């Protein structure tokens, strides 16, 4: 599994541990010892790696990229789809998975947790937009604060009694598991 950044791997591993405590058989491919998560330090580096290597890799091993749904992630996917258009394609939920709602991986946590983080640590955010209903429309976290935000989300998950915080994560993990399954079959 190729991801944009280091925190992406940490998020996924933490969520998989939560799910494993509830269901040891969930996500057999994602939790397999042969599955490796590789981060690239950003979307442009991930895009460059995929462009340079995916044509060779795809015939040898199941490999799925996880992109943030923000503008940068969507532009990278468009560029890769264009590049691989005549070379076997670059297909959604097979070759890559896109984080829903046009946002980054951090958006997979409950909106009330993210709003609380913004209220207590507004300097962490470089963009913060609410819609007319008060729902989060979009947000960005400054690179220097991504790990602080991650630790805060982990602390919220440790004290919550509501496993519903996993709902958005399960959608993404299901898509990753299914993409790996399609490629391995």
């Amino acid at each position: 599994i190729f991801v944009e950044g280091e925190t992406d791997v940490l998020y996924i591993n933490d969520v998989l541990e939560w799910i494993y405590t509830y269901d040891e058989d969930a996500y057999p491919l994602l939790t397999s010892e042969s599955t490796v998560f590789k981060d690239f330090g950003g979307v442009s580096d991930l895009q460059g790696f995929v462009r340079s290597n995916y044509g060779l890799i795809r015939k040898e091993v199941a490999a799925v990229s996880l992109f943030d749904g923000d503008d940068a992630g969507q532009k990278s996917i468009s560029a890769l789809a264009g590049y691989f258009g005549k070379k076997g394609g670059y297909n959604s939920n097979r070759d890559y998975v896109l984080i829903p709602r046009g946002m980054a991986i951090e958006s997979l946590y409950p909106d009330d947790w993210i709003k609380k983080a913004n209220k207590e640590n507004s300097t962490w955010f470089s963009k913060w937009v609410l819609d007319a209903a008060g729902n989060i429309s979009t947000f960005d976290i400054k690179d220097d604060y991504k790990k602080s935000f991650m630790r805060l989300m982990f602390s919220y998950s440790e004290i919550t009694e509501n496993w519903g915080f996993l709902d958005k994560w399960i959608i993404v993990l299901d898509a990753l598991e299914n993409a790996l399954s399609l490629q391995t079959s």
Side-chain angles (χ1 to χ4, degrees):
I1 305 290
F2 302 135
V3 299
E4 292 182 20
E6 174 188 6
T7 55
D8 298 357
V9 176
L10 298 171
Y11 281 132
I12 292 168
N13 284 331
D14 184 69
V15 170
L16 285 171
E17 283 182 36
W18 273 98
I19 292 170
Y20 186 79
T21 63
Y22 177 73
D23 182 359
E24 293 179 9
D25 298 323
Y27 306 112
L29 295 174
L30 284 175
T31 57
S32 167
E33 290 181 10
S34 62
T35 299
V36 176
F37 290 86
K38 172 69 178 137
D39 70 87
F40 286 88
V43 68
S44 59
D45 289 341
L46 172 57
Q47 178 185 340
F49 176 83
V50 170
R51 182 181 170 109
S52 298
N53 298 293
Y54 192 61
L56 302 170
I57 293 171
R58 75 185 327 163
K59 295 176 183 173
E60 302 296 324
V61 66
V64 179
S65 299
L66 177 63
F67 286 92
D68 285 346
D70 58 10
D71 289 340
Q74 291 181 31
K75 286 178 185 175
S76 290
I77 288 169
S78 293
L80 291 168
Y83 179 76
F84 288 112
K86 295 181 181 176
K87 301 173 181 155
Y90 195 65
N91 303 296
S92 176
N93 297 324
R94 178 181 172 82
D95 300 308
Y96 69 90
V97 170
L98 183 68
I99 300 293
R101 300 190 324 162
M103 290 199 252
I105 196 167
E106 291 89 356
S107 71
L108 297 177
Y109 285 100
D111 285 2
D112 57 332
W113 293 8
I114 299 167
K115 286 178 180 179
K116 184 176 178 184
N118 177 266
K119 185 177 181 180
E120 295 171 358
N121 306 285
S122 62
T123 58
W124 292 0
F125 295 78
S126 60
K127 183 193 292 185
W128 181 256
V129 180
L130 301 178
D131 65 18
N135 299 315
I136 298 172
S137 177
T138 188
F139 70 95
D140 286 327
I141 299 167
K142 296 174 186 173
D143 287 343
D144 291 346
Y145 297 104
K146 286 193 180 269
K147 286 188 178 176
S148 297
F149 180 87
M150 178 190 67
R151 286 189 294 273
L152 185 60
M153 293 300 108
F154 288 173
S155 72
Y156 290 166
S157 66
E158 289 172 7
I159 61 173
T160 190
E161 295 178 9
N162 180 358
W163 285 59
F165 82 91
L166 296 170
D167 291 348
K168 290 186 255 180
W169 282 101
I170 289 171
I171 293 167
V172 172
L173 294 176
D174 285 350
L176 288 170
E177 182 78 13
N178 291 335
L180 285 175
S181 179
L182 284 170
Q183 288 191 29
T184 56
S185 64

